[in-house]
């Protein structure tokens, strides 16, 4: 069985969710699950507006739009590979990152690619990309991921793009995860809630040590 090219789509419904996601990408020292903390300096960031946070970029890009309550504001797309070839892909990390962002630009529109983190310090090398689901000057997630057929077509087009540079990777499945669905994995909200809880416990423990 050939190793897989993995793409997982997460849906953000609030600015607080976007802020939590960016903290995860920037404040690596707060994360307990990093397998290789000494490699955090290798992590690379792409930012459409270099002097803005993700929330600021979202508000800037949508300032003339009507935002639907509880609508999808932004996608977070996680790109990875089967663990057995993660090190092999990492040898061409820059190419992997550029190929993923180029596919995002072709699929969602170049102007909708807001932010990306290429991360080396967790167990498996991977990339996060934050994409505005904008079409015709409005937010419309259904246009991109409205049904299983669109998701299947999206995975196929991604596999074709990544296989041009990494021909040993096979088409994987496209997972989509959101707060109002029945995901295969824990929800996006739960994932970041656990990260925040772990951070709070760590700070509390430090305070107790100081007060002893």
């Amino acid at each position: 069985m050939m190793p897989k090219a993995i793409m997982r789509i997460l849906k953000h419904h609030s600015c607080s969710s976007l802020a939590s996601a960016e903290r995860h990408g920037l404040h690596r020292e707060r994360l307990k699950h990093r397998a290789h903390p000494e490699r955090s300096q290798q992590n690379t960031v792409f930012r459409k507006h270099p002097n803005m946070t993700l929330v600021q970029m979202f508000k800037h890009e949508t300032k003339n739009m009507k935002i639907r309550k509880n609508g999808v504001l932004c996608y977070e797309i996680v790109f990875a590979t089967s663990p057995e070839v993660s090190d092999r892909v990492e040898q061409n990390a820059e190419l992997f990152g550029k190929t993923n962002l180029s596919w995002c630009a072709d699929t969602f529109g170049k102007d909708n690619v807001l932010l990306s983190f290429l991360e080396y310090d967790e167990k498996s090398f991977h990339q996060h990309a934050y994409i505005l689901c904008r079409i015709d000057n409005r937010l419309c997630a259904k246009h991109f991921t409205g049904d299983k057929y669109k998701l299947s077509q999206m995975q196929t087009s991604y596999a074709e793009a990544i296989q041009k540079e990494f021909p040993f990777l096979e088409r994987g499945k496209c997972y989509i995860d959101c707060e109002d669905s029945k995901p295969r994995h824990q929800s996006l909200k739960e994932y970041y809630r656990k990260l925040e809880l772990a951070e709070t416990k760590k700070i509390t423990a430090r305070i107790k040590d100081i007060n002893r």
Side-chain angles (χ1 to χ4, degrees):
M1 183 180 295
M2 290 180 64
K4 307 290 186 182
I6 299 169
M7 178 180 67
R8 184 179 180 190
I9 301 177
L10 314 175
K11 291 180 177 180
H12 287 276
H13 294 261
S14 68
C15 285
S16 61
S17 177
L18 290 177
S20 293
E22 186 170 23
R23 284 196 297 272
H24 168 78
L26 290 177
H27 301 293
R28 310 300 291 172
E29 72 282 357
R30 300 177 181 177
L31 305 180
K32 290 185 177 182
H33 63 281
R34 289 184 300 163
H36 308 288
E38 72 282 358
R39 303 189 64 191
S40 292
Q41 295 301 318
Q42 293 179 254
N43 294 352
T44 57
V45 181
F46 162 81
R47 203 177 285 273
K48 180 179 179 181
H49 301 286
N51 298 319
M52 293 184 184
T53 66
L54 179 55
V55 171
Q56 288 171 337
M57 284 190 281
F58 170 78
K59 291 182 176 180
H60 174 75
E61 295 286 338
T62 62
K63 60 185 176 182
N64 295 320
M65 295 184 195
K66 183 178 180 180
I67 308 300
R68 184 170 60 87
K69 186 177 181 181
N70 296 325
V72 179
L73 306 184
C74 191
Y75 293 123
E76 178 179 349
I77 305 180
V78 182
F79 298 102
T81 65
S82 298
E84 64 268 23
V85 294
S86 180
D87 290 344
R88 184 177 174 186
V89 172
E90 189 182 322
Q91 292 174 8
N92 291 286
E94 185 175 348
L95 178 61
F96 181 74
K98 287 183 176 179
T99 301
N100 291 335
L101 290 184
S102 178
W103 176 81
C104 287
D106 291 341
T107 304
F108 300 98
K110 184 177 180 180
D111 285 343
N112 289 334
V113 181
L114 301 183
L115 178 66
S116 168
F117 295 109
L118 200 59
E119 298 178 351
Y120 296 79
D121 56 350
E122 295 185 36
K123 187 174 182 180
S124 296
F125 167 76
H126 63 281
Q127 183 175 23
H128 296 255
Y130 298 86
I131 312 294
L132 198 63
C133 51
R134 173 175 54 189
I135 184 73
D136 297 330
N137 202 37
R138 63 191 177 93
L139 297 181
C140 185
K142 286 185 178 181
H143 174 82
F144 299 104
T145 56
D147 54 50
K148 292 182 179 180
Y149 175 76
K150 288 182 177 180
L151 289 172
S152 178
Q153 290 295 102
M154 190 175 289
Q155 180 61 65
T156 297
S157 71
Y158 174 64
E160 291 172 350
I162 202 69
Q163 284 171 346
K164 289 179 181 178
E165 306 297 344
F166 300 90
F168 54 87
L169 292 176
E170 185 178 60
R171 181 190 186 279
K173 293 182 178 180
C174 180
Y175 295 100
I176 188 161
D177 193 359
C178 59
E179 295 171 17
D180 55 357
S181 69
K182 295 180 179 179
R184 292 173 179 266
H185 308 285
Q186 65 183 350
S187 71
L188 177 64
K189 182 177 180 180
E190 179 67 9
Y191 174 71
Y192 284 112
R193 187 192 70 80
K194 288 182 178 179
L195 289 182
E196 294 286 347
L197 181 60
E199 180 182 334
T200 300
K201 287 182 177 179
K202 188 175 181 180
I203 293 172
T204 302
R206 286 178 179 174
I207 293 172
K208 287 181 178 179
D209 288 340
I210 292 171
N211 291 333
R212 283 178 180 174

